[in-house]
Amino acid sequence: MCERETWRSGYPLTIADALLQSEAMQRACTTRNFREIFRLVNRRTGSSHAVIASAVGKMTSARVSDIIRGVRGIRGEQVIERVADGFGIPGKMLGLPPRPWEGPPEGTPEGDTTPSAEHEIMSLLNRRTLLKSGFAVTALRGASLEDIQRVTAALTDACRYFDGTMVEYFRSQLETAKCDDGRLGAQKTLPVVLGLLGVIEQQARDVKPVIRRELLSVGADGAEFAGWLYRDAHQPGIAVFWYDRAMEWAQEADDPAMQGYMLLKKSQMAYDDRDAVRMLTLAQAGQHQRWQLPTRVQAELLQQEALGCAMLGEPLTLIEQKLDTARELLTRAAKGEPSGLGAYFNEHTLLLRNAVSYTEAGKPGIAADLFGEIISAGTLSRRDTGFFNARRAAALALSGEPDEAAEVGTASAEVALAVQSERTMRVLGEVLQALSHWRGRPAVRKFGEALRAV
């Protein structure tokens, strides 16, 4: 019997170490893909839906079936905790604090019951309150003692202590997570973001109305970011859920700009699905003046409309006209508009998106040159460099440059592996298919081997 099973003596179900340590289970836990977690437990342990429901508690066999089929999901932190306890999944794998049944902290000598400095501090600051609220401990990385005290007080009595300062604290934590994303990738960023969103959803029930609206505005921003992370992990079903939640919270927060921004995000997701008509109409709907959008977002929407036109075979002159207008808008924004919604959309981002439009318009040579120009400037994050190198490889393949396409694709695959970007891998798979006519060339063979290794 393994040590974890010993700790869990008396629990009805404990999944084996082999399953827990499998790549599929670790990936599912990191991204909180409960459909996949339940499916793995069902298939690899032979546990029926009834056994799974009983292990998790407060759940029916029908709901387990719905979760496995993707009809229903799991969001509440308390339910997530029951899943961890029901299956024997260590808390850190799901972005939770250590579970009650877990053994002593790693590195503690056997029989040593002296609390660590961290446990002493957390005890003084009402650790139980943090755990009960579902607050992800990872979200407190680098927090000062004062910040931890303030968070604990706010979670203890939200109506009294959860004020505008706390809202700004959550906003700053979300911005830190966004900065981490480009460097670390979606799988390492998601647990922090989901932890923050879980607390926002729970605490919004108890705060004063004016704070609720402010908190839900931050929540909408975080939900949009979670949707993006799931897009990068190529889990579109969960991404749609978070995009819908972002729109709902933005509506309740009376945040028209975020509502218009979500139309842009949904348009971009429609591009992932190659749904050109929906992509175009969403981009056009987002340009309505009712949304009161910053100029940068207006420029991005117009660029997105141009991309939709390219996919639908509109004349190149019309596409370039829209791209030029988008660039004019962006220039105007750069001169006097403060940073905020859409602040990431700059000259380099526009040119990268323009390159995608040229690819769709049947001008891959122009696209490849644009991609190369921006990537060589060295301003992109590690993850984005890998992704747009994949796009560049696709353009080179369409231009009849198999060796260069393969070399760029190989470099992109290395980054995709490091940051676990399924979105990049999907594009690289398309590149390899486009290079099938040149599969005998050494560079193409090397690219194929690199992709299979990933």
Side-chain angles (χ1 to χ4, degrees):
M1 179 179 291
C2 71
E3 188 177 22
R4 184 168 52 88
E5 290 175 329
T6 302
W7 297 340
R8 289 178 53 79
S9 177
Y11 283 83
L13 176 61
T14 298
I15 61 177
D17 279 352
L19 173 56
L20 188 68
Q21 295 167 7
S22 68
E23 182 179 348
M25 180 60 80
Q26 290 187 12
R27 184 185 304 115
C29 288
T30 299
T31 56
R32 288 189 172 184
N33 183 351
F34 291 101
R35 177 185 184 184
E36 181 66 6
I37 291 172
F38 276 53
R39 188 189 69 81
L40 289 169
V41 173
N42 173 236
R43 294 189 178 182
R44 298 200 186 179
T45 70
S47 300
S48 66
H49 291 184
V51 169
I52 292 174
S54 176
V56 174
K58 298 182 182 179
M59 186 173 287
T60 64
S61 299
R63 184 176 178 188
V64 171
S65 177
D66 286 346
I67 291 170
I68 292 175
R69 291 186 295 117
V71 176
R72 299 181 65 178
I74 291 177
R75 293 185 292 106
E77 289 293 308
Q78 292 181 351
V79 184
I80 295 171
E81 289 174 357
R82 295 207 312 270
V83 171
D85 294 340
F87 297 158
I89 301 174
K92 67 179 181 180
M93 290 184 65
L94 288 169
L96 299 170
R99 309 309 305 147
W101 47 264
E102 292 190 53
E106 189 174 331
T108 301
E110 187 175 351
D112 185 355
T113 58
T114 303
S116 66
E118 178 189 356
H119 279 70
E120 288 280 9
I121 293 174
M122 296 302 286
S123 177
L124 289 171
L125 298 177
N126 198 350
R127 179 181 176 86
R128 181 180 296 276
T129 298
L130 292 175
L131 304 190
K132 185 178 179 182
S133 71
F135 193 88
V137 171
T138 49
L140 289 172
R141 291 176 305 176
S144 66
L145 186 62
E146 182 181 356
D147 281 339
I148 298 175
Q149 288 173 325
R150 191 166 62 247
V151 169
T152 304
L155 299 183
T156 303
D157 189 347
C159 187
R160 183 178 179 185
Y161 294 110
F162 209 113
D163 55 12
T165 303
M166 276 303 301
V167 172
E168 289 308 311
Y169 174 79
F170 275 80
R171 193 186 302 277
S172 69
Q173 292 297 304
L174 179 60
E175 290 305 316
T176 299
K178 288 181 179 181
C179 292
D180 288 343
D181 171 43
R183 179 173 53 89
L184 302 176
Q187 293 199 19
K188 292 184 179 179
T189 309
L190 260 171
V192 175
V193 176
L194 294 175
L196 290 170
L197 289 173
V199 178
I200 287 173
E201 182 172 26
Q202 181 168 331
Q203 297 303 308
R205 302 170 186 170
D206 300 323
V207 297
K208 297 175 182 177
V210 65
I211 297 299
R212 176 179 172 86
R213 284 189 289 272
E214 293 179 13
L215 189 57
L216 290 184
S217 182
V218 176
D221 189 12
E224 181 277 317
F225 182 46
W228 151 248
L229 292 173
Y230 277 113
R231 277 180 61 201
D232 192 49
H234 193 44
Q235 295 188 38
I238 307 178
V240 168
F241 167 82
W242 282 112
Y243 276 176
D244 288 345
R245 178 52 56 87
M247 180 68 85
E248 175 190 329
W249 281 346
Q251 288 169 337
E252 186 177 346
D254 192 21
D255 188 344
M258 179 56 77
Q259 295 173 53
Y261 186 67
M262 289 314 303
L263 292 174
L264 167 65
K265 296 292 120 176
K266 290 192 173 191
S267 174
Q268 291 171 346
M269 191 166 183
Y271 178 71
D272 295 344
D273 296 333
R274 308 296 298 171
D275 190 342
V277 175
R278 184 167 187 266
M279 173 187 161
L280 178 65
T281 55
L282 282 167
Q284 291 171 336
Q287 295 177 59
H288 196 284
Q289 62 182 9
R290 73 168 70 92
W291 306 124
Q292 305 169 35
L293 288 166
T295 309
R296 288 181 185 276
V297 181
Q298 294 176 35
E300 190 173 5
L301 278 160
L302 191 56
Q303 191 281 331
Q304 187 73 2
E305 183 183 0
L307 178 57
C309 289
M311 293 178 71
L312 292 171
E314 295 290 345
L316 183 62
T317 53
L318 174 64
I319 296 164
E320 290 185 324
Q321 179 185 351
K322 292 183 182 297
L323 294 179
D324 289 342
T325 305
R327 186 167 190 168
E328 291 172 7
L329 282 171
L330 184 60
T331 301
R332 189 189 313 163
K335 290 180 178 179
E337 192 170 89
S339 60
L341 203 61
Y344 62 86
F345 194 71
N346 55 30
E347 182 73 15
H348 284 177
T349 310
L350 178 70
L351 291 177
L352 287 168
R353 304 278 181 82
N354 286 357
V356 177
S357 296
Y358 277 114
T359 301
E360 295 291 352
K363 301 293 181 181
I366 298 175
D369 289 342
L370 280 174
F371 282 130
E373 177 185 340
I374 302 304
I375 293 170
S376 64
T379 60
L380 302 178
S381 69
R382 185 185 188 194
R383 193 268 320 284
D384 286 351
T385 298
F387 176 72
F388 285 110
N389 257 330
R391 289 287 187 203
R392 182 184 175 206
L396 288 166
L398 292 172
S399 300
E401 300 288 346
D403 291 342
E404 190 175 358
E407 290 172 5
V408 172
T410 301
S412 174
E414 293 176 1
V415 177
L417 174 62
V419 300
Q420 294 294 295
S421 176
E422 295 292 337
R423 187 175 64 126
T424 303
M425 290 304 304
R426 184 183 183 188
V427 175
L428 290 174
E430 295 170 357
V431 173
L432 187 61
Q433 186 175 1
L435 291 174
S436 60
H437 296 299
W438 296 283
R439 65 173 65 92
R441 301 178 75 87
V444 176
R445 285 203 306 271
K446 181 180 178 181
F447 172 50
E449 291 168 0
L451 210 54
R452 283 189 290 274
V454 174

